[in-house]
Amino acid sequence: MKYHLITYGCQMNKNDSERISSFFDKNNLTESEEADADIIVFNACSIRQSSIDRMTAKIKKIKEQSKDKIIILTGCLLKKDIKKLENFCDYILKSEELPSWNLPFLKKEKIDYFEIIPKRRDTAGYISIMKGCNNFCSYCVVPYTKGREFSRPAKDIIEEVKEAVFCGKKEIWILGQNVNSYNGGISFADLLVEIDKIKGDFWVRFTSSHPKDFSFDIAKAIKNCKKITKYLNLPLQSGDDEILKKMNRPYNAEQYSKLVANIREIVPDIALSTDIIVGFPGETEHHFHNTVKMFNEIDFDMAYIAKYSPRHETKSFAEKETVSEEEKKRRERVLTEILTEKNLIKNRLYLKNIVKVLVMGINKKGYLFGKTEGYKDVIFPGSEKKINSFANIKITKCSKWGLEGKKIIQK
Ligand code: SF4
């Protein structure tokens, strides 16, 4: 039988799909294109309504076109979304229970989910070090879809990183909903130090970090470990204390700013990105102004800006929405403009410099593309053979969104 996997959501979901694929292959199923597949697995995500809407339309279309295809639904899903889809799916299963999925074409195994070695299908090697979250930010579904926090033993993680590096992965992503609170026998900072000792030429990135749990030991590990990239995503979510409180984020704007100042003192050249939600219920112009102010002051290298969307089962779902869609879009635009203006200034500083880039792929125009250590996009001409290797690129052009290089200088 043939199967096809469709993945929505974050890198942790991508990593779950790699385990599903590996388990299916072991059961003599063959991965194929969607049209040829007998089984379609949807690894879904309830975090954004837009993702659920797209997936619902897709599942319905597949079932209409071919009633014989077996549809399996798994992932990070709220009860309400499962209810909406149950009539269109043949099986609804929990990803963490993969070894015991009760399907006629799979053999159940008495092993732990994390014992399944992922079938690495991306240029990056994803390593999930924990599952779940205990933080209950008032807008977030994760504690409801994935349950409480659980950390994997450090030795298992080290082995998995070694395996990914052995497979040729040059970019290792350490994943968890809140990696800073990792506690699998050692601290997260010590885990980074141990990973850095693994032999090989690779970069390590990690996400997500919660400001409340970010220790200076982690900053010191970033500074001292060569393979840990000097890139940090530290979600701010809002620059207003009242909104942060409503979001159940246990820090205020001043504490966040101090934390960033301390991190920058330890690692002066760190590239800092953040996540922001605009239009949270009750966010007035004054509250938003505080976010803009902070956004300007902190001077982020990158920001992932999301318009608030209410999710069932979360605490903020009960709150009346006070910001129109139009206004959310405007606030998103304001922050994006600040970001791009600042980016252009920063990107100009790279002109004529040589930067180390991890080559990730080739775009439609035939240019190679990749990322710098600080997660900046770079495009340049070159051969496909360079994909998944490091290259030194001389930067000749820049824009608000990235850098362009003309030639590859031999290392
Ligand atoms: S820390 Fe992250 S995953 Fe956990 S509840 Fe908050 S936003 Fe969700």
Side-chain angles (χ1 to χ4, degrees):
M1 285 174 94
K2 290 179 183 164
Y3 73 92
H4 182 75
L5 253 160
I6 299 176
T7 309
Y8 295 85
C10 67
Q11 291 152 316
M12 288 183 83
N13 257 22
K14 282 190 189 175
N15 188 218
D16 286 339
S17 285
E18 292 177 334
R19 283 198 160 80
I20 295 168
S21 190
S22 159
F23 198 67
F24 276 33
D25 287 359
K26 206 172 150 200
N27 279 270
N28 298 320
L29 300 170
T30 313
E31 191 163 10
S32 75
E33 293 300 320
E34 186 186 315
D36 304 328
D38 310 292
I39 307 156
I40 312 266
V41 185
F42 282 87
N43 188 7
C45 168
S46 274
I47 286 185
R48 303 232 180 285
Q49 187 58 45
S50 55
S51 154
I52 287 293
D53 293 344
R54 268 188 291 134
M55 189 188 66
T56 307
K58 177 111 185 142
I59 292 179
K60 285 183 183 170
K61 196 171 162 202
I62 291 174
K63 266 294 173 194
E64 269 164 29
Q65 284 173 348
S66 167
K67 287 201 166 38
D68 299 339
K69 285 204 199 286
I70 299 167
I71 306 266
I72 298 173
L73 180 63
T74 186
C76 198
L77 282 161
L78 283 171
K79 284 191 208 112
K80 178 191 154 276
D81 294 327
I82 292 176
K83 193 109 206 90
K84 200 165 139 192
L85 286 161
E86 62 191 3
N87 292 337
F88 302 96
C89 300
D90 299 280
Y91 300 95
I92 297 175
L93 301 157
K94 289 187 176 166
S95 52
E96 56 274 24
E97 291 172 4
L98 173 63
S100 54
W101 277 7
N102 195 5
L103 297 173
F105 40 84
L106 290 185
K107 224 166 80 197
K108 284 192 210 171
E109 281 195 40
K110 274 203 175 345
I111 53 166
D112 183 74
Y113 172 74
F114 284 115
E115 283 177 57
I116 301 168
I117 297 178
K119 177 177 160 190
R120 308 223 172 257
R121 47 196 20 253
D122 206 293
T123 53
Y126 299 117
I127 314 285
S128 298
I129 63 166
M130 59 210 292
K131 281 259 177 207
C133 185
N134 296 344
N135 290 322
F136 289 91
C137 300
S138 65
Y139 51 82
C140 180
V141 301
V142 170
Y144 306 96
T145 57
K146 288 291 180 194
R148 295 303 84 76
E149 208 172 280
F150 156 81
S151 295
R152 295 174 66 192
K155 69 169 185 15
D156 294 0
I157 295 166
I158 306 287
E159 283 312 308
E160 201 179 313
V161 177
K162 281 184 186 165
E163 172 267 325
V165 171
F166 182 75
C167 287
K169 299 297 165 191
K170 300 277 185 230
E171 185 188 38
I172 301 293
W173 272 98
I174 303 297
L175 305 174
Q177 300 296 348
N178 179 13
V179 286
N180 307 158
S181 65
Y182 169 80
N183 186 10
I186 58 175
S187 69
F188 183 61
D190 287 342
L191 181 68
L192 290 179
V193 172
E194 290 307 312
I195 291 173
D196 186 62
K197 289 179 191 161
I198 295 171
K199 285 200 179 87
D201 188 19
F202 61 95
W203 275 346
V204 179
R205 304 187 190 276
F206 58 86
T207 194
S208 284
S209 291
H210 197 305
K212 80 172 167 62
D213 295 310
F214 195 90
S215 72
F216 296 137
D217 285 347
I218 302 175
K220 283 180 199 151
I222 297 172
K223 179 188 162 72
N224 297 328
C225 298
K226 276 200 168 146
K227 291 166 191 157
I228 313 297
T229 51
K230 291 184 177 54
Y231 166 75
L232 173 66
N233 175 260
L234 196 64
L236 168 64
Q237 306 300 12
S238 167
D240 182 86
D241 293 350
E242 216 177 303
I243 297 296
L244 283 170
K245 209 166 175 192
K246 286 180 85 178
M247 287 176 163
N248 197 26
R249 303 282 291 180
Y251 53 85
N252 59 32
E254 195 188 336
Q255 287 165 331
Y256 184 96
S257 297
K258 272 193 187 150
L259 176 63
V260 168
N262 286 330
I263 294 170
R264 281 179 169 156
E265 203 178 311
I266 298 170
V267 196
D269 50 346
I270 197 155
L272 192 66
S273 78
T274 198
D275 301 350
I276 301 275
I277 298 172
V278 292
F280 190 80
E283 187 190 67
T284 61
E285 189 53 43
H286 166 73
H287 297 136
F288 178 63
H289 174 75
N290 283 338
T291 299
V292 172
K293 193 167 155 263
M294 215 162 146
F295 206 74
N296 271 310
E297 282 167 11
I298 300 267
D299 192 12
F300 294 105
D301 295 276
M302 184 56 195
Y304 301 94
I305 304 156
K307 298 190 288 314
Y308 172 77
S309 89
R311 309 305 297 128
H312 271 263
E313 294 172 46
T314 62
K315 198 160 168 247
S316 69
F317 186 76
E319 302 244 3
K320 192 171 170 285
E321 281 220 70
T322 54
V323 187
S324 68
E325 199 50 35
E326 198 111 309
E327 179 58 14
K328 284 180 196 171
K329 278 188 196 154
R330 188 193 68 84
R331 292 180 189 183
E332 183 188 30
R333 231 174 16 245
V334 169
L335 295 179
T336 307
E337 274 165 20
I338 296 172
L339 184 73
T340 51
E341 255 173 52
K342 283 178 178 280
N343 263 352
L344 186 59
I345 297 167
K346 284 184 191 169
N347 288 350
R348 281 194 187 123
L349 300 175
Y350 284 86
L351 284 174
K352 297 191 185 154
N353 286 344
I354 294 169
V355 290
K356 185 176 176 182
V357 174
L358 175 58
V359 188
M360 293 166 141
I362 190 153
N363 68 18
K364 283 181 189 151
K365 290 183 179 165
Y367 279 86
L368 292 176
F369 63 84
K371 294 271 190 194
T372 65
E373 180 176 352
Y375 219 54
K376 276 204 178 292
D377 289 306
V378 186
I379 58 164
F380 49 95
S383 147
E384 254 180 274
K385 286 185 206 144
K386 281 277 170 193
I387 295 173
N388 200 36
S389 70
F390 289 105
N392 290 333
I393 306 295
K394 184 164 185 179
I395 302 303
T396 51
K397 266 192 203 169
C398 70
S399 71
K400 329 188 238 199
W401 295 114
L403 308 169
E404 198 175 322
K406 273 283 182 227
K407 75 178 190 223
I408 298 176
I409 312 282
Q410 288 308 316
K411 274 205 260 184

